Amino acid sequence: MIDVKHLSKSFGDHLVLDDISEHIHPGEKVVVIGPSGSGKSTFLRCLNLLETPTAGTITFDGMEITDPKADINAVRRQMGMVFQHFNLFPNMTIRKNITLAPVRTRLMKQDEADEAATALLRRVGLEEKADAYPAQLSGGQQQRIAIVRALAMKPKVMLFDEPTSALDPEMVGEVLEVMKELAREGMTMVVVTHEMGFAREVGTRVLFMDGGNILEQDEPHAFFDHPREQRTIDFLSKVL
């Protein structure tokens, strides 16, 4: 579904991603872990061109999205994105936050979008919050709404950029539960996270990044129980 070839990204003289080639198959749950500053979030944000690569190509669903002629907005409609800090519109109700994009992009008429929003809110246990505003919700509730908002566009893949790192510890579980449910339903997911339990339980593949490179990757059982690279072993010894 996503094919990355020789991806590099620099900010000025600072090389953040160094010649990464990677692929994500339909239905995979790829979990990206690594120390802060290793390039994880930049890698994720390049997948939908929120960051423009310095070099290399990215192909999504057969279309080379790094081609200047590609309609990146059309591509992004199929790639749901969930950020660390929710990024909900504070001046809009929860229902409006969810329905805005599907209606604006003519994916749905307003009444269809309202119906879909109600169904999605019911699914995450927040149906009664439809007319509330983001500031009236807890962080965990806001992040569940952010996930629902991305799902309203019926994406083919969901990208999560450290979706629980801004939350109080007791709210992390409710967000991870929604993500686990998505995984069980077969959604293709790329997740940058510090939640090792989630990586082990939900991931089909774990990538370890450091210094702008993918140093090691494997299915979760082998990755956590038998890491091969010394840098991976050192990292896991500090976080597990």
Side-chain angles (χ1 to χ4, degrees):
M1 184 175 283
I2 302 175
D3 192 28
V4 177
K5 288 185 177 154
H6 303 297
L7 172 67
S8 294
K9 174 65 181 176
S10 297
F11 294 100
D13 295 335
H14 181 44
L15 182 65
V16 181
L17 299 176
D18 184 9
D19 195 30
I20 290 177
S21 293
E22 191 51 66
H23 54 268
I24 290 133
H25 294 293
E28 272 200 300
K29 289 87 184 126
V30 177
V31 182
V32 186
I33 66 170
S36 295
S38 58
K40 307 182 300 292
S41 290
T42 303
F43 171 67
L44 190 78
R45 291 167 68 87
C46 281
L47 296 182
N48 62 359
L49 297 200
L50 285 180
E51 296 289 357
T52 306
T54 307
T57 61
I58 300 168
T59 304
F60 170 68
D61 218 19
M63 180 198 298
E64 189 191 311
I65 65 174
T66 38
D67 183 331
K69 295 192 286 290
D71 181 353
I72 189 57
N73 289 324
V75 171
R76 284 186 186 136
R77 285 170 207 155
Q78 301 176 64
M79 302 175 92
M81 180 93 181
V82 178
F83 301 90
Q84 188 175 348
H85 293 291
F86 328 135
N87 290 17
L88 298 174
F89 298 114
N91 59 329
M92 294 181 186
T93 65
I94 296 309
R95 188 194 325 272
K96 187 70 175 168
N97 262 282
I98 296 167
T99 61
L100 181 69
V103 172
R104 276 273 172 91
T105 58
R106 300 201 171 99
L107 182 68
M108 301 177 197
K109 295 193 170 70
Q110 186 67 54
D111 56 345
E112 287 176 85
D114 287 340
E115 205 172 303
T118 301
L120 285 164
L121 285 169
R122 189 179 301 129
R123 177 174 163 180
V124 296
L126 292 172
E127 192 180 356
E128 78 286 356
K129 301 293 187 186
D131 297 314
Y133 287 85
Q136 297 169 295
L137 273 58
S138 71
Q141 290 172 328
Q142 288 189 60
Q143 193 59 298
R144 281 186 279 162
I145 297 300
I147 294 172
V148 158
R149 179 176 64 174
L151 289 175
M153 290 297 290
K154 301 182 178 173
K156 292 181 176 176
V157 61
M158 287 282 284
L159 310 177
F160 293 88
D161 189 8
E162 299 194 20
T164 58
S165 61
L167 299 177
D168 292 336
E170 60 189 350
M171 293 175 186
V172 169
E174 65 192 53
V175 173
L176 291 181
E177 200 44 57
V178 173
M179 294 169 64
K180 287 175 189 174
E181 182 66 28
L182 272 181
R184 285 192 287 269
E185 291 170 4
M187 174 63 76
T188 307
M189 300 164 71
V190 186
V191 185
V192 171
T193 186
H194 295 291
E195 299 291 334
M196 299 301 144
F198 177 87
R200 189 189 279 268
E201 181 184 343
V202 179
T204 50
R205 200 152 45 98
V206 182
L207 310 185
F208 174 68
M209 287 189 70
D210 192 33
N213 293 287
I214 296 171
L215 293 190
E216 183 165 353
Q217 59 174 294
D218 214 329
E219 57 85 23
H221 174 72
F223 180 88
F224 285 106
D225 296 344
H226 307 288
R228 298 183 301 274
E229 297 290 331
Q230 188 58 48
R231 181 67 187 94
T232 313
I233 294 166
D234 293 344
F235 176 78
L236 291 176
S237 72
K238 293 188 177 78
V239 298
L240 292 178

